[in-house]
Amino acid sequence: QVQLVESGGGLVQPGGSLTLSCTASRSIFSINRMAWYRQAPGKERELVVTITRTGITDYADSVKGRFSISRDAGKNAVFLQMISLKPEDTAVYYCNTAIDGLSYWGQGTQVTVSS
C-alpha cells in the first residue's frame, strides 16, 4: 500500500515551465513503474509518461521533447519537469503506481496554462 501526494501545479503563461512532484508514503526503490496521467475538462484521463525502476521512460507523443520525468528513490519521489507549456497542457495531473496488482492514485494537482 502507498499514498501519493502531488504538488507543484499552478497557473503559468504559454511557453512557461513548471515542475510537479509526487511524494510517496513509502520507499519507491522496489516499485517497478510509476507514471503521470492528466485529465483535462470534459476529456478522459490520459497517460503522460511512465518511468521504470531502472529509469526507462516512455512519453506520450504530445509531450515528447517538452516534459521530463525523473525519480529520486532517496526522497521517495517522482518529478515531472514541464517546459514550453501550451494551453492544451491544462489539466489535473495525477501520479500513479501499481503494487501487487492494485493501482494507487494521488489527489491530483491542477496545471493551468493561460495568458
Side-chain angles (χ1 to χ4, degrees), residues 21-40:
S21 300
C22 169
T23 302
S25 60
R26 50 154 280 181
S27 172
I28 65 169
F29 181 80
S30 62
I31 295 178
N32 287 326
R33 172 187 177 275
M34 298 195 73
W36 285 96
Y37 286 74
R38 67 185 181 185
Q39 187 166 20

Side-chain angles (χ1 to χ4, degrees), residues 48-104:
V48 176
V49 59
T50 61
I51 185 167
T52 70
R53 183 171 60 87
T54 57
I56 298 172
T57 58
D58 188 13
Y59 293 89
D61 288 342
S62 59
V63 306
K64 282 181 180 177
R66 300 188 299 119
F67 289 13
S68 178
I69 189 172
S70 61
R71 58 187 284 165
D72 187 333
K75 295 181 178 179
N76 297 337
V78 175
F79 305 97
L80 182 64
Q81 183 179 16
M82 307 182 294
I83 65 171
S84 302
L85 283 162
K86 305 175 181 180
E88 51 263 44
D89 294 318
T90 295
V92 178
Y93 285 70
Y94 297 91
C95 185
N96 169 264
T97 192
I99 300 172
D100 296 332
L102 295 178
S103 184
Y104 296 91

